[in-house]
Amino acid sequence: MQRDVGSLPLSPALRARLLAAGFQTAQELLETGPCGLSKEIGISKEEALEALQVVRQECAGDAAKAAGGSGSTRKCTALELLEEEQAQGFIITFCSALDNILGGGVQLTKITEICGAPGVGKTQLCMQLAVDVQIPECFGGVAGEAVFIDTEGSFMVDRAADIATACVRHCQLIAEAHQEDDHLKALETFSLESILSHIYYFRCRDYIELLAQVYLLPDFLSEHSKVRLVVIDGIAFPFRHDFEDLSLRTRLLNGLAQQLIIIANDHKSAVVLTNQMTTRFGQNQSVLVPALGESWGHAATVRLIFHWDNTQRLATLYKSPSQKESTIPYNITVRKWDHIPRLFRSCDAAVQPSLCSCQTDGFS
Amino acid sequence: MGMLRDACPHGAPRYPRVHYGTPWVPIPFPHRSLCFHPCSAPSRGAEAMVVLRAGLCPGLTEEMIQLLRANNIRTVVDFVSSDLEDVAQNCSLSYKALVAVRRVLLAQFSAFPTNGADLYEELKSSTAILPTGSSSLDQLLDAGLYTGEVTELAGAPGSGKTQVCLSIAASVSLGLRQHVVFLDSTGGFTASRLYQMLQARVEDKEEQLEALQRVQVVRVFDVYEMLRALHEVRDCLSQQVGSSAGPLKAVLIDSVSAVLSPLLGGRQSEGLAIMMQLAQELKTLAKEFSVAVVVTNQVTRDSSTGALKSALGRSWSFVPSTRVLLQGRAAPWEEGTAPLTACLAKSPRQPTGMQVQLDIDSDCVQEQRPVTPTP
């Protein structure tokens, strides 16, 4: 069966010319050849050659898949996907209640969005995750690196250093409790310097820089294949001011969302975005909703909303494909590590600090 | 294999089955009836916009083609719809030869009429109705998803579109033992959730694993990838090769607006062209191979009334034959767990405005008391 010319990834001007000249299927294009094609539609021979190259690639790709060859790696049965998911790790947040409602932690290959009013703790959680992704596998982490794209300038290195120190201390206590060789070996490479050196920091000042950075990210990730977390702190900020054309904003955001999901899927990393809140006026009341509009709500696979209830911070899981909607309270602490009771499970499972007494620096 | 309808509620259809993608060629011959049914052999690819080539039919020589081209007649449609006497004069070709060529071209490319009763019989034997796994949603859709049609589920983020799709996949692959293709463009397909739903329906582990194997997931994040994936599905079905394709009955696409919305809007019209190309692929897939196609869509707010409506604009609104709007809660972190409602926005069989309540529980999409239809 032949591919329609309209479904091939050619430039719109070229496609319009081909359709006007009467070409319907890819086979006809290939039969005409570059000279005939350039004469028929009035383009240069180089352009005709390029176009035919694209067409040949598409058809070759189709033929390979039809023959059952190793085509795209994105096609599998649900059973294989289930096995993949069960073997995949999570990035823990060191707050066991939050990990519980997320189903184990921040999932890899998905986009998680954290929305909240200012000061509620979004950047803190992002920094915590950038440190937690680097926890070695024997302690229950994914042993990856992190990319931190900052648009608001809210990344504080000394705070990140505090969180990293606390995390290292935590792992040291586990190693002391269990006394196993691989724990001690992993601890040699897991130090403050190594943690900070594996957080790749990018600063983007406006939306064009952000878009460019995201489009260049796949190349960066293929060089640094250990990256398992991409954080964009403040995706709303560059898009919320100085934008006159709202439909352009929607298009750009949707394109950005697709880019991010491709990155998350191809490189098996988690993408975490933070979003601001805005007011929506209802019939008789106004509510706080996540910013960037209704269509942006579809970009994230998992949506967490942080809000206040008097003086207590609450986290609600608003949207998730596999977990139920629930709310939990949380706190942000600045604690020095002095005494941690031994309430962890074995090293195979994720490190699960107990809710009541064990509080880590950062989230609890 | 699903239920068949005993009686078509509208009586025998008055129109022939249209093969989407084929332009109609109106010929003013008195002995032909005015309704056309294109050549039903899909392998011939009845596309009348084909460029005239030597050897397309006997009598069509290269020099004839050059002369015709000089007169701006390049494709079959141009040839057949032009006045042959004028053409014979301008191109200095024999009128008889041209008429002979036209007859052959018409026989090759044009449509044939069909009887309404035959059409009805064909429809009765090829259509199946697939249960969605939720009896209230089935009621809304008039007993379930009809194969040969495109059904759309639209809703705000978090309203349950992916859950309903997973429920449909579970019900078709477990209950009917048919294959399902799931095209995921948002990354929202979670196999563990599907497994949860299967576990809630049946106890036997073997059956659950078999059902999981019948669901094929393809991740497409770009509109061209989606077109390619749909083309592959069509290829597999037309060749009926291998057990991987199997008896396919449902194609679920979650979501179609994620790949189309980066292209729409603004001053470029390319987005509309691609959207219509995708629509054509979906409808052809549904009609030719008798599969039920389910797509999910976003919602936008109507600027005048403030009500929710499906995204992608007016042109897309003609593509699905049934549209269901899923409505969730406004600000979930403030209220309790309000039930989700499904409202029928467009349907060829049921009154629009019908509403039912869905409850997406931890096991499956369960139903609650259905709301009476509002006029």
Side-chain angles (χ1 to χ4, degrees):
Chain A
M1 271 213 148
Q2 287 308 312
R3 284 290 294 276
D4 245 4
V5 162
S7 66
L8 297 168
L10 300 166
S11 74
L14 186 60
R15 193 183 304 130
R17 286 201 205 191
L18 286 172
L19 289 174
F23 289 100
Q24 274 295 95
T25 66
Q27 190 64 29
E28 285 172 23
L29 284 182
L30 291 174
E31 275 176 12
T32 317
C35 309
L37 202 65
S38 63
K39 250 189 288 183
E40 290 259 351
I41 8 181
I43 52 174
S44 70
K45 273 222 190 108
E46 290 82 28
E47 288 176 27
L49 268 171
E50 264 184 55
L52 282 178
Q53 191 76 350
V54 169
V55 175
R56 225 170 266 130
Q57 252 177 1
E58 282 288 319
C59 292
D62 286 346
K65 277 165 221 157
S70 64
S72 138
T73 47
R74 294 211 195 118
K75 189 169 161 178
C76 47
T77 64
L79 187 62
E80 293 164 17
L81 262 181
L82 183 68
E83 287 161 14
E84 247 183 62
E85 277 177 27
Q86 282 174 343
Q88 218 167 59
F90 294 93
I91 304 178
I92 58 172
T93 61
F94 269 123
C95 172
S96 57
L98 193 60
D99 284 341
N100 279 340
I101 64 167
L102 285 173
V106 172
Q107 275 182 329
L108 299 180
T109 75
K110 299 223 188 298
I111 300 184
T112 308
E113 189 182 357
I114 304 170
C115 317
V120 81
K122 310 184 290 288
T123 310
Q124 299 295 312
L125 181 58
C126 291
M127 292 199 282
Q128 179 82 56
L129 288 171
V131 169
D132 289 346
V133 74
Q134 305 186 39
I135 296 177
E137 273 162 12
C138 52
F139 294 108
V142 295
E145 301 172 356
V147 166
F148 199 104
I149 301 178
D150 192 6
T151 59
E152 296 170 353
S154 48
F155 182 80
M156 299 283 139
V157 185
D158 30 4
R159 180 69 181 141
D162 282 344
I163 297 178
T165 321
C167 188
V168 169
R169 185 87 187 97
H170 191 103
C171 293
Q172 276 172 349
L173 286 166
I174 300 178
E176 275 168 33
H178 287 249
Q179 289 293 335
E180 283 178 36
D181 287 333
D182 43 354
H183 284 189
L184 298 166
K185 215 163 34 147
L187 268 182
E188 287 163 23
T189 46
F190 191 58
S191 64
L192 174 64
E193 290 80 25
S194 79
I195 295 179
L196 289 182
S197 64
H198 288 310
I199 301 180
Y200 303 108
Y201 178 81
F202 298 93
R203 176 87 168 91
C204 297
R205 284 175 181 80
D206 59 10
Y207 76 94
I208 297 181
E209 282 185 35
L210 178 62
L211 286 172
Q213 188 57 55
V214 172
Y215 277 90
L216 292 174
L217 209 51
D219 294 332
F220 181 85
L221 291 179
S222 19
E223 285 167 33
H224 301 84
S225 57
K226 285 190 70 179
V227 171
R228 287 283 168 270
L229 175 71
V230 175
V231 176
I232 302 185
D233 187 12
I235 196 140
F237 180 68
F239 286 99
R240 285 192 78 196
H241 60 89
D242 269 359
F243 236 105
E244 285 125 15
D245 189 359
L246 281 183
S247 69
L248 174 67
R249 186 181 92 168
T250 315
R251 266 203 314 280
L252 290 176
L253 282 173
N254 288 333
L256 189 66
Q258 289 305 109
Q259 271 296 107
L260 289 172
I261 191 75
I262 292 175
I263 289 174
N265 211 270
D266 286 347
H267 300 272
K268 289 220 172 350
S269 41
V271 175
V272 175
L273 314 169
T274 60
N275 197 1
Q276 298 170 355
M277 300 289 264
T278 182
T279 313
R280 186 169 76 207
F281 297 97
Q283 271 143 358
N284 33 10
Q285 48 162 356
S286 57
V287 293
L288 269 186
V289 294
L292 297 180
E294 290 262 2
S295 54
W296 178 248
H298 299 269
T301 321
V302 178
R303 215 175 204 191
L304 272 173
I305 301 192
F306 289 178
H307 52 114
W308 297 90
D309 181 21
N310 294 332
T311 50
Q312 174 64 50
R313 289 178 160 95
L314 298 170
T316 304
L317 182 70
Y318 176 38
K319 178 184 172 194
S320 165
S322 55
Q323 303 296 116
K324 261 173 86 134
E325 180 195 311
S326 35
T327 307
I328 51 119
Y330 70 92
N331 274 319
I332 305 179
T333 63
V334 183
R335 267 205 55 200
K336 288 202 263 292
W337 281 99
D338 33 21
H339 169 71
I340 310 296
R342 303 167 203 181
L343 292 160
F344 325 122
R345 280 188 256 143
S346 76
C347 50
D348 302 318
V351 174
Q352 287 275 7
S354 151
L355 219 162
C356 39
S357 38
C358 176
Q359 298 196 340
T360 73
D361 199 8
F363 262 72
S364 66
Chain B
M1 252 278 285
M3 308 174 316
L4 293 171
R5 286 295 287 247
D6 291 337
C8 184
H10 307 290
R14 289 182 299 273
Y15 46 84
R17 186 182 73 156
V18 180
H19 180 189
Y20 290 101
T22 313
W24 288 23
V25 183
I27 315 289
F29 284 171
H31 66 276
R32 285 228 162 160
S33 79
L34 282 175
C35 35
F36 286 88
H37 174 55
C39 296
S40 47
S43 58
R44 284 222 245 159
E47 291 131 349
M49 273 286 283
V50 174
V51 177
L52 285 170
R53 278 198 309 274
L56 196 61
C57 72
L60 195 62
T61 58
E62 185 62 42
E63 40 177 301
M64 201 188 270
I65 291 184
Q66 295 300 334
L67 288 168
L68 288 171
R69 221 168 257 180
N71 268 42
N72 248 346
I73 295 180
R74 310 169 66 91
T75 65
V76 172
V77 176
D78 293 339
F79 184 82
V80 160
S81 50
S82 55
D83 187 357
L84 287 187
E85 288 201 14
D86 281 345
V87 172
Q89 260 178 352
N90 294 345
C91 306
S92 61
L93 290 166
S94 124
Y95 180 71
K96 267 179 127 175
L98 287 174
V99 166
V101 169
R102 175 153 86 174
R103 194 164 291 147
V104 177
L105 284 177
L106 280 177
Q108 239 185 333
F109 289 105
S110 77
F112 297 103
T114 192
N115 200 336
D118 291 340
L119 196 67
Y120 176 52
E121 289 300 314
E122 195 188 326
L123 213 66
K124 256 199 334 185
S125 61
S126 62
T127 310
I129 304 180
L130 311 173
T132 59
S134 151
S135 56
S136 60
L137 192 60
D138 281 344
Q139 194 187 8
L140 198 69
L141 294 171
D142 193 23
L145 290 168
Y146 278 65
T147 59
E149 285 184 11
V150 178
T151 311
E152 181 190 88
L153 298 167
S159 55
K161 306 184 290 291
T162 313
Q163 300 298 311
V164 174
C165 285
L166 288 176
S167 168
I168 294 172
S171 128
V172 171
S173 99
L174 190 66
L176 300 178
R177 294 177 185 281
Q178 302 288 320
H179 285 245
V180 175
V181 169
F182 198 108
L183 288 164
D184 185 20
S185 69
T186 56
F189 181 86
T190 322
S192 35
R193 178 72 180 124
L194 182 64
Y195 189 46
Q196 237 180 9
M197 286 184 176
L198 289 171
Q199 278 174 325
R201 280 165 216 249
V202 80
E203 299 286 330
D204 183 18
K205 192 152 184 204
E206 275 298 313
E207 279 193 44
Q208 291 164 7
L209 295 179
E210 269 179 26
L212 277 179
Q213 275 182 322
R214 284 191 277 260
V215 176
Q216 195 173 62
V217 180
V218 189
R219 292 210 155 111
V220 288
F221 300 122
D222 187 59
V223 70
Y224 296 110
E225 287 177 21
M226 187 178 278
L227 286 167
R228 197 192 307 161
L230 286 171
H231 187 80
E232 269 177 48
V233 170
R234 273 219 289 174
D235 264 349
C236 278
L237 282 175
S238 61
Q239 293 166 19
Q240 283 179 348
V241 124
S243 60
S244 59
L248 182 69
K249 270 297 154 216
V251 175
L252 307 167
I253 303 181
D254 180 25
S255 76
V256 81
S257 47
V259 292
L260 285 177
S261 40
L263 302 172
L264 293 174
R267 270 182 247 126
Q268 47 183 358
S269 55
E270 175 206 342
L272 270 181
I274 299 278
M275 183 165 85
M276 285 299 125
Q277 184 77 34
L278 184 65
Q280 181 187 319
E281 287 277 344
L282 292 174
K283 291 203 123 173
T284 320
L285 187 66
K287 272 273 184 266
E288 267 193 41
F289 301 104
S290 299
V291 296
V293 176
V294 180
V295 297
T296 60
N297 196 2
Q298 296 172 5
V299 286
T300 54
R301 278 197 187 270
D302 201 357
S303 42
S304 42
T305 61
L308 286 177
K309 58 171 188 159
S310 302
L312 295 180
R314 257 195 109 118
S315 316
W316 181 262
S317 65
F318 296 106
V319 174
S321 38
T322 312
R323 296 182 115 179
V324 177
L325 202 67
L326 298 171
Q327 275 165 334
R329 49 268 193 254
W333 56 94
E334 294 183 12
E335 303 167 19
T337 46
L340 303 169
T341 56
C343 173
L344 197 63
K346 175 183 174 190
S347 167
R349 287 172 283 268
Q350 300 271 66
T352 57
M354 238 181 101
Q355 264 193 340
V356 293
Q357 276 186 348
L358 298 171
D359 187 26
I360 299 181
D361 213 331
S362 62
D363 17 19
C364 57
V365 181
Q366 290 172 347
E367 78 282 4
Q368 285 184 343
R369 42 178 180 80
V371 180
T372 50
T374 51

